[in-house]
Amino acid sequence: MRKLHLLLATIILMISAVCNAQYKLQSAFPTLLAFNNPVELVNAGDGSNRLFVLQQNGAVYVFNNSPTATTKKIFIDLTSKVTQGGSETGLLGMAFHPDYKNNRYFFVSYTFDSTGNGSRTWSRVSRFRTSPENPDTVLLSTEEIFITINQPDLNHKGGKIAFGPDGLLYLSFGDGGGEGDPFGFGQNKSTLLGKILRINIDSAGVGRNYSIPPSNPFYGTGYKEEIYAYGFRNTWKFSIDFPTNTIWGGDVGQETYEEVNIIQSGKNYGWNKMEGLHCFGTCDTTGKGFTRPIFEYQHNVTGNSITGGYVYRGSLLPGLYGKYIYGDFVFGRIWALTYDGTTATNVHLLDSNYFISSFGVDENNEIYVCRYSFGGRIYKIVDIGTSVLNLKAAIEGYYDTTAVRLNMKDTLSVYLRQNISPFNLIDSAKTVIDSLSFSGLCFFHNALSGKYYIQLKHRNALEVWSKAGGDSVVRGVSKNYDFTSGTAQTFGANAILIGGKSCIYSGDVIEYGAINLTDIVKVYNDQTSFLTGYQTSDLNGNGAVDLTDLVLVFNNATKFISVIKP
């Protein structure tokens, strides 16, 4: 357990649980060739579902986000420009313009040596543009330089860049290196080192390819106007949680403490006067205006070098939703942290034997972990106590063959049953079927890995079962099952092929297990009462019970449809 720290009048409760055996790392792309020291994973946000992995040596690879991906391609090769020495220099960050789909702009952050002999290191942020003919390739000749900063030493470069919901580019730079910030850059607002910066890359300023947002805290003060926040040693990865507009960062400590920060405009985070919640050397912690981290952990006890992560906003790990997922580079540990504005609660998710250099997210906000090594791999966090089914289903009457969509989203009840008689119920879940993708996720916590029948029930439809013999379900694995791809995917007669999609029959309004006269009477009565809104007799989901619903239930009733189990 971590200690309780009483800081001024605020109590920050820090809880570290024992390792949670529920989660583990699993290779996300097992058939993809390894990477050479990956330090970043990003997506383009353009709907292509591609992933981009940065190697520290300057190469960026692109590949399709599929667990069966076998091919990766060079997106851009910056090895001739990038200088890499040790674990903190090289190609360090990449961010795609919010309008990348139309303008094809993206930005990178890297270090280079202006002398060629390693005696002088610089940090640079540049913009490139992808080829209009091939979105998977970039020409080096398209580079436009935005920021170049002289670095006095070989470590503490930061290097993370990301666009915020305001469309502005945020950048992290460490204090320039050396022990204890010997140049005092962290507290010096006349330098860009030891800072988080914010710039507008869509308009140029005097002598610059970017401009300063007037809302920046030091705009017009005589200090460096790019500064958004200061007092950092080396923020190794930060991320912006769009639902809350919160910036989370992991600042690497020197002697004793690693820290998690909520980064806010104009705030001073204390380095080199503070390390975590503690004085660094001799300092006066009262009246200095330092902003404390929301959480810290101690060296050689929990870890030695924090790797900042992301607030999880995906779907596959519902137990982690809204939690900040981060790790430690040296110890290979991963945690989930929640913060309510006063209390930080830290849960230990898992241990690995890997150097964790970075986290990343795809277009669905699912999270990935980069393993730093010459045979570097990309991993995902999986819940080994849960089976995930991504189901596709369509409902007759709801399915618009012209628009190729459902008229509305709706809930399906999903059951796992034994695939041998008497087909006992093993587990159940609910899922909302999306009107465009026909898909929905459901989670099973009780079923062991094995073969099951998947049974679907809709509020005004007969049930359907998965194909004869059932299908396999595996704990810790996300599986797809498509009831729409054809009648061979469904067992029994309770599905019909409409516009090329297998749809569940509608019309069992009173849920009696058959579509018959009683359903016709129910729909007729509701129709003559002009009922609107969410009604079980609204068979086509158009928001009203009308003649179309009556025709639908009548047609299905004349087919003598009933429940047919395996």
Side-chain angles (χ1 to χ4, degrees), residues 160 162 237-241 246-249 308-311 324:
K160 174 70 178 182
K237 308 302 179 183
F238 68 87
S239 63
I240 305 173
D241 180 37
T246 304
I247 305 175
W248 294 73
Y310 289 80
V311 174
Y324 179 63

Side-chain angles (χ1 to χ4, degrees), residues 68-326:
T68 60
T70 58
T71 304
K72 61 180 182 179
K73 296 184 285 186
I74 284 285
F75 180 67
I76 186 170
D77 186 354
L78 295 170
T79 54
S80 63
K81 294 177 173 287
V82 168
T83 300
Q84 177 189 346
S87 61
E88 298 183 33
T89 59
L91 178 59
L92 301 175
M94 183 176 185
F96 286 85
H97 192 283
D99 195 31
Y100 169 76
K101 191 172 183 178
N102 295 311
N103 62 30
R104 311 194 313 278
Y105 287 138
F106 68 94
F107 292 75
V108 294
S109 175
Y110 63 90
T111 62
F112 69 97
D113 173 18
S114 61
T115 65
N117 59 18
S119 61
R120 191 172 187 183
T121 301
W122 298 75
S123 288
R124 172 168 288 169
V125 175
S126 293
R127 183 175 72 184
F128 290 87
R129 198 174 193 186
T130 55
S131 165
E133 292 82 20
N134 186 349
D136 285 343
T137 62
V138 182
L139 297 177
L140 293 182
S141 60
T142 64
E143 181 176 20
E144 296 179 70
I145 298 170
F146 276 65
I147 290 180
T148 301
I149 303 175
N150 183 21
Q151 294 276 6
D153 213 325
L154 291 177
N155 54 356
H156 306 178
K157 304 303 175 225
K160 174 70 178 182
I161 56 176
F163 282 94
D166 51 14
L168 302 175
L169 185 63
Y170 293 74
L171 315 92
S172 73
F173 289 102
D175 66 8
E179 291 189 5
D181 189 10
F183 303 99
F185 288 153
Q187 293 297 309
N188 184 353
K189 296 190 291 294
S190 296
T191 176
L192 299 181
L193 295 176
K195 313 296 189 298
I196 301 293
L197 312 181
R198 182 174 70 167
I199 60 175
N200 183 352
I201 49 75
D202 288 324
S203 66
V206 178
R208 298 182 296 234
N209 283 337
Y210 64 90
S211 62
I212 307 295
S215 58
N216 272 14
F218 302 107
Y219 186 84
T221 63
Y223 294 118
K224 289 290 185 180
E225 297 178 331
E226 294 92 338
I227 297 172
Y228 183 77
Y230 67 106
F232 301 100
R233 182 175 180 269
N234 188 32
T235 299
W236 182 253
K237 308 302 179 183
F238 68 87
S239 63
I240 305 173
D241 180 37
F242 275 40
T244 61
N245 295 339
T246 304
I247 305 175
W248 294 73
D251 199 24
V252 179
Q254 178 171 303
E255 292 183 350
T256 312
Y257 298 99
E258 305 294 301
E259 60 187 62
V260 176
N261 292 300
I262 298 293
I263 300 169
Q264 297 175 310
S265 176
K267 297 295 181 66
N268 179 358
Y269 289 81
W271 179 253
N272 63 353
K273 302 300 182 183
M274 301 284 293
E275 185 183 54
L277 298 169
H278 313 270
C279 282
F280 183 82
T282 302
C283 73
D284 176 9
T285 61
T286 62
K288 295 295 185 181
F290 296 138
T291 298
R292 271 58 167 184
I294 65 167
F295 187 77
E296 68 173 23
Y297 66 84
Q298 191 171 349
H299 284 191
N300 301 319
V301 176
T302 302
N304 272 339
S305 181
I306 191 171
T307 298
Y310 289 80
V311 174
Y312 180 70
R313 297 295 180 186
S315 302
L316 296 177
L317 301 167
L320 299 182
Y321 189 84
K323 301 180 188 299
Y324 179 63
I325 311 302
Y326 71 103

